[in-house]
Amino acid sequence: MPTSAEEFAALVRVVKDAQRRFTAAPSEHPGCDFKAWLKANVKRPENQRGDPSRHTAETLRKFVETLGTALGTARVTALTKHDQWRKKRAEWDEWGDDEVVDAKGDRAWALVRRTRKHEGFAEAYYRLPSHEPPWRRTKYRPVRWCVEKEMKPRLLGVDCEMCETDDDTRALVGVSVVDDEGNILLKTLVKPPGNIVDMRTEITGLKAENVLAAPTTLSDVQDRLVELCKPGTVLVGHSLMHDLKSLKIDHQPVIDTGMLFRYKNLPRSTPSLAILCETLLKRKMRQTEAGYHDSVEDAKAALDLVLWAVREAKPIFEVDAPPHKVDAEDLCKLFIHRIPRGTSAEALKMVFEETDRAHIESVQGSFLDATTTDSAALGGKKTTSCLVTFTDTKRANDAFERLDGAVTKDAIGRAQKSRALPLDSTDRSVSVVVRRMTSSGSVVSAGAAAGAKRPANSVPATVPKSKKVRQRKPKSIALPGDKS
């Protein structure tokens, strides 16, 4: 049976993943050493080619069969089906791009289109690994198809609470779903799998003993949400991709308020949900004494912003950025992020010149000096951040100025520099980022720092008017999710 392009691509990806596993932990994954397998099973010169894409599908398939079901053949099958589904989705998207939009049509569908046109949409929503267990995927219904079926969009606000476990940095511990009439359709705590590393109680107010006692699991929540996501359902949230990753659900269409609104003159920054509510809805969020996040409040806030934009004749999609406020006592600090967990405070001081290290009073970070010494964890994505406090503001400024490297700006204009941080006694190192606490537009006060840092929307605020034309789905294009 000939190998399809999707199957060959899946074989290559599985082999590359095996190579990465072996490189990260050779003793744990000896069977993933593709190069060693080639030398033992394939003749020259083919066994000298390290790149899987330079081998035949038959060679790759034989190696994959040695990996077992979880890492090998089952994964290839899942990836192949996923690539075929993505290809069908791309065909539908191409068909949908030809839609002639009626400016007097449903305003909610216009906001779905606006979200889809955001420059970060594909990266955020089209790379969800929904082929991996325990992910679930709802039936895909393109906007144009829904419009042609004269479906009124059913808007559901979604917000999740998350913690960090030993195998998931965004493990689900709570979820709320509300409809456009303010009804709470789902509100529950969720018991996360694995061991909790960081409960994030200071953000959510949730305690580990409560979520560990919850009878609801991720699978239970997925069943309920998939049941709610009938054709025409639009999920709404602020930076909703993070909630979908926590829920492990791939759903379209969506409206992401983090992709609808932006700050003026800050192309890489997006207003927080609280700022948008205060500016556009004239109400303040999180007014409880503790100030914890509430998933119902956040879900309703995102949904209310969408309903506001639907009602307004000329909705505002750009808001003025508030002044960045910095506590006076923070001026003597520098912020360092992208630090591998397990890095010691003493090692971090080596980022600075010897002259400046003598004036460091403290290095504070939640996950510095962690007990893990695993090289994959230290060199991987599990990073943390810290604050380095100097004896006074001048010492902090001088230390930053003496750092080698080009000065760049973060999303709200604060100067930062990248620096190499040695990981151990060998030559291995990682790049960390040292950042000032203030920008040129900062205001020194007793207030806390404000401002979000997500990619911005550069899409025009209005949809161009044009004559509505009745359109039909080409019979030659099968809808992703339909039975063949």
Side-chain angles (χ1 to χ4, degrees), residues 6 72 140 149 216 223 261 284 292 345 361 385 399 413 479 482:
E6 291 83 10
Y140 177 57
K149 295 291 185 180
T216 306
D223 289 342
F261 302 96
K284 292 187 177 182
Y292 294 134
E361 285 191 341
S385 60
L479 178 68
D482 284 352

Side-chain angles (χ1 to χ4, degrees), residues 206-264:
L206 301 178
K207 295 182 179 180
E209 55 264 31
N210 295 331
V211 299
L212 291 176
T216 306
T217 66
L218 173 64
S219 179
D220 296 331
V221 172
Q222 289 176 324
D223 289 342
R224 179 63 178 137
L225 198 55
V226 169
E227 180 185 346
L228 289 172
C229 290
K230 306 297 184 185
T233 298
V234 180
L235 296 185
V236 177
H238 194 76
S239 295
L240 181 65
M241 79 290 286
H242 299 309
D243 300 291
L244 295 183
K245 288 176 181 177
S246 180
L247 291 162
K248 291 179 171 49
I249 285 181
D250 189 347
H251 174 81
Q252 286 294 324
V254 300
I255 298 177
D256 187 337
T257 52
M259 293 183 175
L260 291 184
F261 302 96
R262 61 174 294 179
Y263 280 133
K264 293 178 181 177

Side-chain angles (χ1 to χ4, degrees), residues 20 196 206 374 379 384 466:
R20 284 191 290 267
I196 295 175
L206 301 178
D374 180 74
T384 186
S466 57

Side-chain angles (χ1 to χ4, degrees), residues 208-478:
E209 55 264 31
N210 295 331
V211 299
L212 291 176
T216 306
T217 66
L218 173 64
S219 179
D220 296 331
V221 172
Q222 289 176 324
D223 289 342
R224 179 63 178 137
L225 198 55
V226 169
E227 180 185 346
L228 289 172
C229 290
K230 306 297 184 185
T233 298
V234 180
L235 296 185
V236 177
H238 194 76
S239 295
L240 181 65
M241 79 290 286
H242 299 309
D243 300 291
L244 295 183
K245 288 176 181 177
S246 180
L247 291 162
K248 291 179 171 49
I249 285 181
D250 189 347
H251 174 81
Q252 286 294 324
V254 300
I255 298 177
D256 187 337
T257 52
M259 293 183 175
L260 291 184
F261 302 96
R262 61 174 294 179
Y263 280 133
K264 293 178 181 177
N265 304 317
L266 288 174
R268 293 175 51 235
S269 186
T270 298
S272 68
L273 191 58
I275 290 291
L276 289 172
C277 280
E278 187 170 354
T279 304
L280 302 176
L281 303 183
K282 309 304 180 186
R283 77 179 191 223
K284 292 187 177 182
M285 296 180 63
R286 306 184 183 110
Q287 294 300 291
T288 61
E289 183 177 348
Y292 294 134
H293 286 196
D294 181 288
S295 56
V296 169
E297 181 185 24
D298 285 19
K300 285 184 176 180
L303 191 53
D304 286 347
L305 284 167
V306 169
L307 296 175
W308 172 86
V310 167
R311 292 191 303 268
E312 290 291 308
K314 294 182 178 180
I316 299 168
F317 291 104
E318 288 190 341
V319 298
D320 293 324
H324 176 64
K325 298 179 181 179
V326 181
D327 289 346
E329 62 183 24
D330 287 337
L331 297 179
C332 62
K333 300 175 182 178
L334 293 177
F335 179 75
I336 308 180
H337 59 113
R338 302 181 189 173
I339 307 167
R341 296 192 178 186
T343 303
S344 70
E346 289 302 313
L348 275 173
K349 292 180 181 180
M350 301 306 292
V351 167
F352 300 98
E353 297 295 328
E354 183 176 358
T355 302
D356 302 309
R357 292 200 294 268
H359 302 285
I360 295 176
E361 285 191 341
S362 66
V363 179
Q364 297 177 314
S366 300
F367 289 94
L368 298 180
D369 297 303
T371 57
T372 179
T373 58
D374 180 74
S375 59
L378 292 180
K381 296 181 179 179
K382 293 188 175 181
T383 61
T384 186
S385 60
C386 76
L387 285 171
V388 180
T389 304
F390 291 82
T391 53
D392 55 56
T393 302
K394 184 179 186 305
R395 297 293 186 183
N397 291 336
D398 290 346
F400 183 83
E401 292 298 331
R402 272 192 278 267
L403 292 175
D404 290 333
V407 177
T408 59
K409 298 291 182 68
D410 74 350
I412 59 174
R414 292 173 292 194
Q416 58 187 14
K417 295 180 181 179
S418 294
R419 290 283 292 169
L421 171 69
L423 283 180
D424 48 36
S425 58
T426 67
D427 293 333
R428 295 193 312 132
S429 65
V430 295
S431 180
V432 298
V433 179
V434 183
R435 194 200 70 203
R436 290 185 185 275
M437 300 297 290
T438 62
S439 64
S440 58
S442 298
V443 174
V444 179
S445 71
K453 312 171 189 177
R454 297 186 181 93
N457 190 355
S458 57
V459 182
T462 57
V463 178
K465 295 183 179 181
S466 57
K467 184 178 179 181
K468 183 176 182 180
V469 177
R470 187 71 176 173
Q471 299 141 343
R472 295 293 181 187
K473 174 179 76 68
K475 294 182 179 180
S476 60
I477 302 179

